Amino acid sequence: MFQELVGAIVAAACVGLVVFAMAARVVKQYERGVLFRLGRVLGAVRDPGLTLVIPFVDRLHKVNMQIVTMPVPGQEGITRDNVTVRVDAVVYFRVVDPVSALVKVEDYKFAVSQMAQTSLRSIIGKSDLDDLLSNREKLNQGLELMIDSPAVGWGVQVDRVEIKDVSLPDTMKRSMARQAEADRERRARIINADAELQASKKLAEAAQQMSDTPTALQLRLLQTVMAVAAEKNSTLVLPIPVELLHFLERGQQHGQQLPTPNGDAGQRQVPRLPEET
């Protein structure tokens, strides 16, 4: 009798352990459990830890609450200025309502992926090429709003959307390179012309200053000679200023008008230098 009682207790304990093992579920820290009893959502969302369910009656579905990083496949489209481009993006989202993510949409990850691809194509068609290349922050915000609006009803929140890469055709790349080269050349010519203008103004001021003080021209000439002599060249080119020629010409004319010994002003013959052959 005692042995039968012990055997029954052991059998009951084994059955209890089996039932407990079938009823026990562990929800991890980054998960939430949604309990379905006979196909209907029962009670609140199960928090992390050990939870019990009724075997063969309840079904516990675990939903990951971590941020999901989903790459959006490259989408080809035509921009508003008729340029064919291929754009890649990445979406960061997470589940905020586990019940809605399981009940209102069949596969929330697939739904977010399709919505991201559709929104990316729409953004490409509404934007210019310059916006895709230089104004990505604004496009990211618009893309995030387009994806997040329907995702809110699915219990999903989009945290961030980033455009990764914009691929252009080779012909467009060459055209943009030629345009950038022409723009750089234009700016170089403008800078050159501006430098010439400033230099001409400074030279005009210097010429005006030297015309007021002719001695400054002689000093400048001596400085030039010293600069050339410092190079230790065998040939020295000495420039003669035009003012010096004018001075010699005036001196020659003055010598021709000198008075004669009789006191009368007359012309005196100035011997000429023999011409070089």
Side-chain angles (χ1 to χ4, degrees):
M1 183 67 181
F2 179 74
Q3 294 179 352
E4 294 178 356
L5 181 60
V6 172
I9 293 174
V10 172
C14 292
V15 172
L17 288 176
V18 171
V19 173
F20 179 78
M22 295 177 62
R25 298 289 186 275
V26 176
V27 181
K28 297 180 181 179
Q29 181 65 36
Y30 55 85
E31 296 177 337
R32 297 295 182 271
V34 180
L35 185 63
F36 288 87
R37 178 167 294 174
L38 298 178
R40 300 183 63 181
V41 178
L42 180 66
V45 177
R46 300 298 176 93
D47 292 329
L50 180 64
T51 182
L52 298 177
V53 299
I54 301 176
F56 309 109
V57 178
D58 295 342
R59 293 290 184 271
L60 184 67
H61 292 268
K62 301 176 183 179
V63 181
N64 194 333
M65 305 295 290
Q66 293 176 314
I67 295 178
V68 180
T69 303
M70 176 180 293
V72 182
Q75 302 297 312
E76 291 186 358
I78 301 177
T79 60
R80 192 166 56 181
D81 50 354
N82 298 324
V83 179
T84 302
V85 295
R86 182 181 179 87
V87 182
D88 299 334
V90 60
V91 182
Y92 302 89
F93 68 93
R94 60 188 178 91
V95 177
V96 294
D97 188 357
V99 177
S100 298
L102 290 177
V103 175
K104 294 185 178 181
V105 63
E106 181 180 1
D107 187 353
Y108 66 89
K109 291 184 179 180
F110 181 74
V112 171
S113 175
Q114 294 300 312
M115 179 58 64
Q117 296 179 33
T118 306
S119 301
L120 184 57
R121 289 186 179 181
S122 178
I123 284 292
I124 293 174
K126 295 179 180 178
S127 305
D128 295 331
L129 179 60
D130 294 339
D131 294 335
L132 290 175
L133 297 176
S134 60
N135 197 11
R136 292 190 181 182
E137 189 65 29
K138 183 179 179 181
L139 296 180
N140 292 338
Q141 294 177 0
L143 191 58
E144 178 182 348
L145 182 62
M146 293 178 66
I147 301 175
D148 189 56
S149 297
V152 172
W154 306 335
V156 177
Q157 178 181 349
V158 178
D159 290 341
R160 191 172 182 84
V161 181
E162 290 285 346
I163 295 177
K164 293 196 301 182
D165 186 26
V166 179
S167 301
L168 300 175
D170 293 337
T171 55
M172 179 57 63
K173 292 180 181 179
R174 288 193 293 268
S175 299
M176 294 177 67
R178 289 196 299 268
Q179 179 184 359
E181 184 179 358
D183 185 64
R184 288 194 296 269
E185 186 177 355
R186 177 183 62 85
R187 284 183 292 177
R189 289 183 178 180
I190 291 176
I191 294 173
N192 239 351
D194 190 26
E196 292 291 341
L197 177 61
Q198 295 179 8
S200 63
K201 290 181 179 179
K202 293 298 181 180
L203 288 174
E205 293 178 2
Q208 182 66 31
Q209 186 69 25
M210 288 183 180
S211 65
D212 295 339
T213 40
T215 310
L217 184 61
Q218 302 298 327
L219 294 177
R220 182 59 183 162
L221 176 61
L222 293 177
Q223 291 177 357
T224 305
V225 172
M226 291 177 61
V228 174
E231 299 294 333
K232 298 181 180 180
N233 294 328
S234 59
T235 303
L236 179 61
V237 179
L238 182 62
I240 299 177
V242 180
E243 286 77 2
L244 181 60
L245 296 179
H246 291 326
F247 175 76
L248 296 176
E249 183 179 359
R250 287 195 299 269
Q252 183 179 5
Q253 293 178 358
H254 180 70
Q256 293 177 356
Q257 298 294 333
L258 289 177
T260 59
N262 297 329
D264 297 333
Q267 294 184 354
R268 186 179 62 177
Q269 297 295 330
V270 178
R272 296 182 179 181
L273 296 175
E275 296 183 356
E276 295 181 0
T277 58

